[in-house]
Amino acid sequence: MTNIAFIGLGNMGGPMAANLVAAGHRVTGFDLSPASCDQGRADGLAIAGSAGEAVRDAEVIVTMLPAGKHVLAVWGDILTAARGDALFIDCSTIDVDSARKAHELARQQGVLSLDAPVSGGVGGAKGATLTFMAGGSKEAFDKAEPFLSQMGKKVVHCGEAGAGQAAKICNNMILGISMIGVAEAFVLGEKLGLSHQALFDVASTSSGQCWSVTTYCPVPGPVPASPANNGYKPGFAAALMLKDLKLAQEAALASGAATPLGAEAAQLYDLFNKAGHAGADFSGIINFLRGESPQG
Ligand code: NAD
């Protein structure tokens, strides 16, 4: 049993912390939202009055927060309150620059740190089937890996500080672009009189094959578990896809990488969000391309 502090008990952090409790750890949580704290108590966490109080005896400290500014503010607060041998793990999706700054804060304090964003959504957080993409030293990774494995099914060490965030935004840029490509192909197929099933049967076994076809097909029917069969309820909300595409664009600008299709995908998801569909699943963009509401 390990003393773990968990800061940020929202849609993702709440169930992740609950899985650490289920694995037998003593978990002390903190969140600014009283409702999230209440849910944490119900899941078996001890709830502290502040982030500083939560980390005081912790050997491992996990943060799961909205954006880079929150992570830097919270790490800035708790690094001095934590034990000198504590391991800091940030699982939020944040910009690479902030992730590197957070590592630097930890280094100045002499503690190990890891950026370890996740893929798999709320379902993966609840079912402990997340994929973790980790950046940091081998020593930090080796120490964190057993705990990450209790919250997920796959843990990949991507490289040094910030490499986890880099892998996350590159992966999600592929996803945003590929979903738009698949959606356009299904809309074109409709205009040409092709059935959804026929296009799926071909594309899922041909060179058009990708996750957006085989696992998350944006039309109802071929993949029964995809959000298209459930009124495009998320799933993975369009607002989060836009967040990740914008992070990818920031990183592309800062590093000088040419990502014209990533830029186009960010623009399209921005329009989709501004049209009022931020809460819809990101695959609902197919209906937007048809000029319809995300529910079809
Ligand atoms: P959320 O908004 O549900 O949870 C964030 C929590 O952080 C909230 O409960 C909020 O009260 C808390 N918080 C904010 N500032 C705080 C502070 N200073 N101290 C303590 N608590 C604070 O968001 P979420 O869906 O759980 O996402 C968390 C992170 O995971 C984000 O970076 C998101 O991009 C990433 N992510 C989300 C999903 C998803 O499907 N929801 C999937 C992959 C990654």
Side-chain angles (χ1 to χ4, degrees):
M1 188 192 69
T2 302
N3 280 332
I4 300 177
F6 208 113
I7 317 293
L9 305 171
N11 292 322
M12 296 293 290
M16 289 165 71
N19 283 327
L20 291 172
V21 173
H25 301 295
R26 185 182 301 137
V27 183
T28 304
F30 175 71
D31 194 292
L32 294 178
S33 148
S36 297
C37 291
D38 288 345
Q39 183 59 49
R41 270 189 208 95
D43 290 337
L45 277 73
I47 298 295
S50 68
E53 187 187 321
V55 304
R56 199 167 297 144
D57 298 320
E59 296 146 85
V60 176
I61 294 159
V62 186
T63 48
M64 191 53 162
L65 297 163
K69 64 181 178 191
H70 306 99
V71 174
L72 288 174
V74 168
W75 280 38
D77 275 354
I78 61 180
L79 269 161
T80 48
R83 289 167 40 155
D85 61 349
L87 165 69
F88 277 68
I89 307 171
D90 179 45
C91 294
S92 327
T93 302
I94 66 172
D95 58 288
V96 175
D97 194 40
S98 294
R100 290 188 177 140
K101 283 185 181 138
H103 278 280
E104 178 55 22
L105 289 175
R107 194 193 62 76
Q108 285 166 9
Q109 206 62 33
V111 297
L112 292 174
S113 59
L114 207 66
D115 56 291
V118 303
S119 171
V122 176
K126 287 184 176 157
T129 57
L130 294 169
T131 295
F132 287 87
M133 298 147 244
S137 66
K138 182 166 178 348
E139 189 185 0
F141 178 79
D142 288 346
K143 214 171 156 189
E145 202 269 343
F147 302 101
L148 300 181
S149 296
Q150 288 169 336
M151 297 184 282
K153 66 169 176 8
K154 177 99 181 146
V155 186
V156 182
H157 190 197
C158 300
E160 291 299 320
Q165 298 294 350
K168 166 85 187 178
I169 56 172
C170 289
N171 178 72
N172 279 19
M173 189 176 78
I174 295 173
L175 178 60
I177 294 169
S178 70
M179 181 54 79
I180 293 166
V182 170
E184 285 187 357
F186 272 91
V187 172
L188 175 61
E190 287 164 6
K191 296 275 186 206
L192 299 176
L194 201 55
S195 76
H196 290 161
Q197 192 63 47
L199 179 53
F200 176 83
D201 288 345
V202 172
S204 63
T205 53
S206 304
S207 45
Q209 189 272 335
C210 64
W211 191 87
S212 296
V213 172
T214 56
T215 307
Y216 220 78
C217 192
V219 293
V223 179
S226 80
N229 299 282
N230 189 25
Y232 296 93
K233 289 199 192 79
F236 187 53
L240 289 171
M241 173 51 81
L242 178 60
K243 173 189 170 180
D244 293 354
L245 288 170
K246 282 181 168 171
L247 290 176
Q249 284 307 292
E250 277 173 33
L253 196 63
S255 64
T259 55
L261 291 183
E264 195 62 41
Q267 289 282 344
L268 269 172
Y269 275 103
D270 197 19
L271 288 174
F272 187 55
N273 275 254
K274 284 187 174 131
H277 310 312
D281 187 77
F282 82 109
S283 63
I285 200 151
I286 188 169
N287 295 316
F288 190 67
L289 293 171
R290 292 191 189 105
E292 299 169 355
S293 78
Q295 285 76 31

